[in-house]
Amino acid sequence: MESRVTALPKLFIGIDIHKRSWKIHCSTDLFAGKSFTMPPEPEKLREYVQKHFPDHEVSTAYEAGCCGYAAHRSFVNFGWRSLVVNPADIQRKGKERYTKTDRIDAQLISRELKDGRLESIIVPDIEREELRSLFRRRNELVKDFRRVKSVIKMQLLYYGVKVPPEFDNDHWSHDFRHWVDSQKFVFGTARECMASKMRNFRFIDKELRDVSSQLRAYCRKHFKQDFYLLRSIPGIGGIVAVGIIAELGDLRRFSSLKHLAGYVGLAPSIYQSGVNSKSMGMNPRCHRLIRSYFVEAAWQAIRTDPVMQAYYRQHLGKDVKKIIVKVAHKLLSRTLAVIKTKTPYEIGVIS
């Protein structure tokens, strides 16, 4: 009797990606496979697969990291199924938790892929990925801005120069900057030291303003509807709206509030065993920046929205931090509704 193949054989490739080399582990539905090292070039892997595994249905997976999504996009263009996975989602058994090598990592990824236990993270399109890169550049500048301000104040303290009370705050007015420039020192080296630090401060200040303006202008042009819908929500200004668009993408992709809250990190961790159940606080697996944005927005919401303020007052007597997280969760729910219904946020009225 003539035998016929009714389905293509399957190939599962686990990749541990690094800058200078890739550790590859190939396995099929019939054998455990082999590991090898190759240059970090998708075309080389394609040639290997075509030579040794022709007519196979190929699936690949690698951990999200510093190498980005270029390899993933190449694999998709080859017609392969490609997953970019969160390293925390890769299950490790027994001693695998205490033994880590590139080869073992590639084998684990291939095994989990073959068993169907891996889920890909959401890979952004190129436009949103580049927008996110610019937004993260702004966050780097914010950190540099805070650092250089601290360095300048530390230097003044070191020299014994007392900052006037009207300038001793986080806001650096033009008068304060001129005051720092006008300080007199015994020798020119100290004056040049302060001048250098102030030049660095002014450069970062200008760079931060320019990047912020470019982000707002880009989103007003290319994501106009979502940008202005988000701006209607109390506590969400231009930069926070840009951050939500860049980091979370299209909120319509979230099927429910539970899904969105789990991604942002405004969902509680719960421990339950038998009749015992307790909340462990906020989930440590989160998007820290966006979560902090919504917590800050919640403080603004209870000042401007009577309904949110009433919700806050219902829980008075509890830990203030826990109450504001509840408000942030409620605000997140309304944010999702605003985007999905395309209806601007309206300040509530208590009847």
Side-chain angles (χ1 to χ4, degrees):
M1 177 181 291
E2 181 182 356
S3 62
R4 295 183 180 180
V5 178
T6 58
L8 290 176
K10 296 182 179 181
L11 173 65
F12 304 95
I13 304 176
I15 312 173
D16 190 44
I17 286 185
H18 293 284
K19 177 182 177 181
R20 293 183 173 84
S21 65
W22 290 355
K23 180 65 74 172
I24 307 292
H25 185 82
C26 297
S27 61
T28 70
D29 42 7
L30 299 178
F31 75 100
K34 59 176 292 187
S35 300
F36 60 93
T37 302
M38 63 170 291
E41 300 174 17
E43 285 293 340
K44 297 283 187 181
L45 180 59
R46 184 186 188 184
E47 292 173 3
Y48 177 87
V49 170
Q50 289 176 341
K51 179 179 179 181
H52 295 89
F53 300 96
D55 301 324
H56 277 63
E57 182 181 323
V58 182
S59 297
T60 66
Y62 67 90
E63 296 177 350
C66 62
C67 294
Y69 309 113
H72 164 79
R73 295 190 176 105
S74 296
F75 299 151
V76 171
N77 290 335
F78 297 160
W80 299 351
R81 173 174 171 260
S82 177
L83 280 67
V84 183
V85 300
N86 188 326
D89 290 340
I90 299 174
Q91 183 181 3
R92 293 176 178 269
K93 302 176 183 178
K95 68 176 184 179
E96 293 172 352
R97 300 177 183 177
Y98 309 101
T99 305
K100 183 188 183 307
T101 65
D102 293 344
R103 180 179 179 181
I104 290 176
D105 288 346
Q107 290 173 348
L108 290 177
I109 295 171
S110 180
R111 182 189 71 193
E112 297 295 295
L113 180 62
K114 181 177 179 179
D115 293 343
R117 288 194 290 263
L118 292 182
E119 291 186 8
S120 177
I121 64 172
I122 299 298
V123 178
D125 56 47
I126 295 177
E127 180 186 18
R128 204 175 293 266
E129 181 184 12
E130 293 180 356
L131 173 64
R132 187 173 67 181
S133 296
L134 184 60
F135 176 72
R136 292 181 178 181
R137 169 58 183 159
R138 182 189 177 276
N139 291 333
E140 294 172 2
L141 290 170
V142 168
K143 293 177 182 178
D144 290 342
F145 191 61
R146 292 171 180 165
R147 180 189 58 80
V148 72
K149 288 168 70 174
S150 297
V151 167
I152 291 171
K153 284 197 169 183
M154 178 275 297
Q155 195 70 56
L156 291 172
L157 177 65
Y158 180 80
Y159 286 144
V161 179
K162 187 175 181 180
V163 178
E166 63 271 22
F167 296 146
D168 196 9
N169 51 57
D170 292 334
H171 175 64
W172 282 33
S173 64
H174 290 289
D175 290 339
F176 175 65
R177 301 177 194 190
H178 294 323
W179 177 83
V180 174
D181 292 335
S182 65
Q183 292 305 299
K184 306 293 184 183
F185 299 97
V186 178
F187 297 99
T189 48
R191 183 171 60 253
E192 183 55 35
C193 175
M194 291 303 301
S196 175
K197 293 179 187 295
M198 288 301 294
R199 286 195 299 270
N200 189 24
F201 165 78
R202 288 188 170 94
F203 170 79
I204 296 174
D205 183 35
K206 183 179 184 302
E207 197 71 12
L208 177 59
R209 293 174 187 274
D210 290 346
V211 170
S212 299
S213 297
Q214 291 167 7
L215 283 168
R216 286 190 291 262
Y218 188 88
C219 285
R220 280 196 298 266
K221 181 179 180 181
H222 297 274
F223 301 96
K224 182 177 180 180
Q225 184 183 51
D226 286 0
F227 181 76
Y228 283 107
L229 285 172
L230 291 169
R231 285 292 308 273
S232 69
I233 301 170
I236 296 183
I239 292 300
V240 176
V242 170
I244 294 173
I245 291 171
E247 296 289 347
L248 298 185
D250 187 356
L251 294 183
R252 297 171 188 84
R253 69 183 175 88
F254 293 98
S255 58
S256 65
L257 173 62
K258 182 179 180 180
H259 184 195
L260 176 58
Y263 186 89
V264 173
L266 285 172
S269 301
I270 298 175
Y271 178 85
Q272 188 270 333
S273 178
V275 297
N276 299 319
S277 178
K278 63 179 179 179
S279 175
M280 306 294 289
M282 285 195 295
N283 196 327
R285 183 167 174 173
C286 64
H287 195 302
R288 296 186 182 276
L289 181 62
I290 300 299
R291 183 168 71 179
S292 68
Y293 279 170
F294 274 98
V295 171
E296 291 297 325
W299 285 110
Q300 182 66 24
I302 62 176
R303 297 186 183 98
T304 57
D305 189 340
V307 173
M308 301 297 279
Q309 185 177 117
Y311 181 76
Y312 177 84
R313 293 185 182 279
Q314 286 176 8
H315 298 85
L316 286 178
K318 301 178 182 178
D319 185 352
V320 174
K321 293 181 180 179
K322 294 181 179 179
I323 302 175
I324 204 62
V325 169
K326 287 179 176 290
V327 178
H329 185 273
K330 193 174 187 69
L331 190 65
L332 184 66
S333 171
R334 296 194 171 194
T335 301
L336 183 61
V338 162
I339 294 296
K340 286 196 170 185
T341 62
K342 301 180 181 180
T343 305
Y345 188 99
E346 293 184 2
I347 301 299
V349 178
I350 299 177
S351 58

